[in-house]
Amino acid sequence: MGLPQTSSNVIAGWVAIRYGLRGPNLTVCNGVTSGLDAVSWARNLIVAGRAEAAVVVGVEPANDVVTKLLGEQSTDAAVASVLEPADAAASRGTRPRATIAGYARASPRR
């Protein structure tokens, strides 16, 4: 995070403002499943009719906190994906790169 001691949702807010995105705005930061959980939330927003498409952005800084959590030095990383219904992609003459077939969470094995 480039803004120490601020809300983690500042990332989602900045991306929405910078690119003129409208609609629900959320940052998911709950550990190792955050990225998959964010994709699931985006899918749910589309299926529920709350959004026509969704942008999911994942970021991970290479800093001392991350190094301590991982136990080794990492690399700054970011990725963005656009989710939309398959028929919306087809209407633009493009094909989906992936399809979400299902999603489930389970308690970690002990």
Side-chain angles (χ1 to χ4, degrees):
M1 236 167 64
L3 300 170
Q5 300 174 338
T6 61
S7 168
S8 60
N9 207 50
V10 75
I11 304 274
W14 182 88
V15 169
I17 291 166
R18 172 68 175 85
Y19 294 99
L21 304 175
R22 302 285 185 258
N25 180 312
L26 169 71
T27 294
V28 180
C29 48
N30 62 331
V32 297
T33 63
S34 294
L36 292 174
D37 292 342
V39 169
S40 177
W41 276 104
R43 179 196 171 276
N44 291 343
L45 287 169
I46 293 167
V47 169
R50 296 285 316 267
E52 294 176 11
V55 178
V56 176
V57 178
V59 297
E60 189 67 64
N63 60 27
D64 294 338
V65 174
V66 174
T67 299
K68 184 176 178 180
L69 288 170
L70 295 177
E72 60 185 69
Q73 182 66 40
S74 65
T75 303
D76 281 331
V79 64
S81 297
V82 175
L83 280 71
E84 65 181 345
D87 58 342
S91 72
R92 290 193 339 271
T94 189
R95 64 178 181 81
R97 304 257 180 182
T99 301
I100 300 172
Y103 175 81
R105 290 194 62 161
S107 297
R109 292 184 178 171
R110 304 271 177 196

